[in-house]
Amino acid sequence: MVHETAPEWVTIALIVVKTLVAVVGGLVTYFAFKAYRRTGSRPLGLLAGGFGLVVLGSVLGGTAYELLGVWLALGVVIEGLFVLAGFCLIAYSLKAQ
């Protein structure tokens, strides 16, 4: 399978979207962590950690591809692993007592 290089506008759009995901996801993580600190609720702490992993995965996947020059598929795998771990933590936080 051959992959073509994306046009420049797609690369710029990717950078803009990943930046917005990092900013908005960071805010969600911050507010969840702030709620955890205020209440001391362990599930809220786990929820904040899950959101943090999802955001970190998104940033690391794009960064690995754009800045470190890894294969696109490897960047997607890195992102997927962090997102999977984050969603598992979020699911656990919603189940936790």
Side-chain angles (χ1 to χ4, degrees), residues 8-62:
E8 185 178 356
W9 71 267
V10 173
T11 303
I12 292 169
L14 176 64
I15 292 168
V16 168
V17 168
K18 289 291 186 177
T19 301
L20 290 172
V21 166
V23 170
V24 175
L27 283 172
V28 170
T29 303
Y30 169 75
F31 289 132
F33 182 73
K34 192 173 170 181
Y36 160 69
R37 293 286 306 257
R38 185 177 62 250
T39 64
S41 169
R42 183 173 179 265
L44 273 176
L46 294 170
L47 185 68
F51 284 135
L53 284 174
V54 170
V55 172
L56 183 62
S58 180
V59 171
L60 284 180

